[in-house]
Amino acid sequence: CSAVDACESSNGGCSSKAECRRTTPGNRACVCRAGYTGDGIVCIEINPCLVNNGGCDRNAECTQTGPNQAVCNCLKGYSGDGKTCTYISLCSQNNGGCSEFAICNDTELTERTCTCKPNYFGDGFKCRGNIFQELLRNSNTSRFYFHLEALSIRDISGPGPFTLFVPRTDILNSDPRVKDWIAKGVMAQVLRYHMVGCANLLYKDLTAITNITSLHGDLIHISYSQNSLVLNNKAEIILSDDVGTNGVIHVINQILVP
């Protein structure tokens, strides 16, 4: 006589996901393989994500990849290895895409607000200061700013309002008269002739007037023809309505001489 192997045929009646183990002659035990659970006759794949989120962080998604196997991926708005996920502050990188002159506030996941700082205005993504500050930020007007700084002229940093007619940077750089004016000590007078106080005159406002008085004290004549505004029959406004908190800047293509 020979012992009957209960596992010899059809895996001993055990599940295909189980191991049939001989015990005594004619008897066997069915044991589910690693990653499966059951009585051996029926073995079900273990999903580790069903218990404690598979060991993933509470701000992570657990995804089953095989029997009792899973991966953890941090949810949108969080970073980490899935086991540990840290909230990503949108404002922590590049000020959240807000203006450098704005305050970024995290509100919800993947959401933030941008609010211009005091003494600036705008939508938070673009914030503007006073026209003295705005001169420096624009390459077309930055040379005018440096001339003001060199002569400590701060008239337009006050509350205003002011209207500026600024010769474009390349014109101020190339006009040989500028050096002479500086040498003779009259450059401040020339610069103030480009400033108008107590008025915030946009392009459309300028089309309705013929003369305005500069901070230097002399009149600036304004004429409008062929869809262009011309100052003193010479300098044309080529860029207009660059608005700041205390006034407006217009760029012209000639230097005004009092």
Side-chain angles (χ1 to χ4, degrees), residues 16-204:
S16 61
K17 306 299 183 183
E19 177 186 357
C20 181
R21 296 177 182 174
R22 288 184 295 170
T23 53
T24 57
N27 294 306
R28 54 91 177 103
C30 299
V31 181
C32 292
R33 295 176 184 171
Y36 294 85
T37 184
D39 60 4
I41 306 299
V42 175
C43 294
I44 301 172
E45 190 174 275
I46 297 171
N47 182 354
C49 296
L50 299 178
V51 179
N52 196 31
N53 200 29
C56 303
D57 188 274
R58 64 189 182 91
N59 293 307
E61 180 182 24
C62 179
T63 304
Q64 184 183 7
T65 56
N68 205 25
Q69 295 178 328
V71 293
C72 304
N73 294 297
C74 293
L75 299 174
K76 186 176 181 180
Y78 293 85
S79 66
D81 60 5
K83 298 292 186 180
T84 302
C85 297
T86 305
Y87 172 61
I88 301 172
S89 168
L90 291 180
C91 296
S92 66
Q93 300 177 359
N94 194 33
N95 201 30
C98 304
S99 165
E100 61 181 309
F101 303 114
I103 298 170
C104 179
N105 285 307
D106 290 293
T107 53
E108 303 174 18
L109 289 179
T110 71
E111 296 290 337
R112 53 89 179 88
T113 60
C114 302
T115 307
C116 293
K117 295 178 180 178
N119 301 319
Y120 290 86
F121 76 96
D123 60 5
F125 297 97
K126 185 175 183 181
C127 298
R128 303 183 66 80
N130 64 46
I131 54 177
F132 188 66
Q133 296 169 312
E134 294 304 314
L135 284 173
L136 182 60
R137 296 175 64 188
N138 188 331
S139 61
N140 286 311
T141 58
S142 58
R143 189 60 185 166
F144 192 85
Y145 171 88
F146 291 126
H147 280 298
L148 294 176
E149 276 285 86
L151 295 168
S152 298
I153 298 174
R154 297 296 178 88
D155 306 54
I156 58 172
S157 61
F162 301 99
T163 300
L164 291 190
F165 302 105
V166 181
R168 201 172 58 207
T169 288
D170 61 319
I171 294 165
L172 281 171
N173 285 338
S174 61
D175 195 318
R177 296 176 298 174
V178 172
K179 288 185 178 179
D180 292 335
W181 292 330
I182 294 173
K184 293 176 181 177
V186 298
M187 189 62 184
Q189 299 173 40
V190 174
L191 294 174
R192 285 194 172 95
Y193 187 49
H194 294 78
M195 308 175 189
V196 176
C198 302
N200 187 25
L201 300 170
L202 299 175
Y203 191 91
K204 63 180 178 61

Side-chain angles (χ1 to χ4, degrees), residues 193 210-212 219-223 230-233:
Y193 187 49
T210 55
N211 291 291
I212 47 177
L219 289 177
I220 300 173
H221 177 68
I222 303 173
S223 55
V230 180
L231 309 181
N232 292 348
N233 299 314

Side-chain angles (χ1 to χ4, degrees), residues 4-13 20-22 24-28:
V4 174
D5 184 352
C7 295
E8 186 174 10
S9 176
S10 300
N11 199 32
C20 181
R21 296 177 182 174
R22 288 184 295 170
T24 57
N27 294 306
R28 54 91 177 103

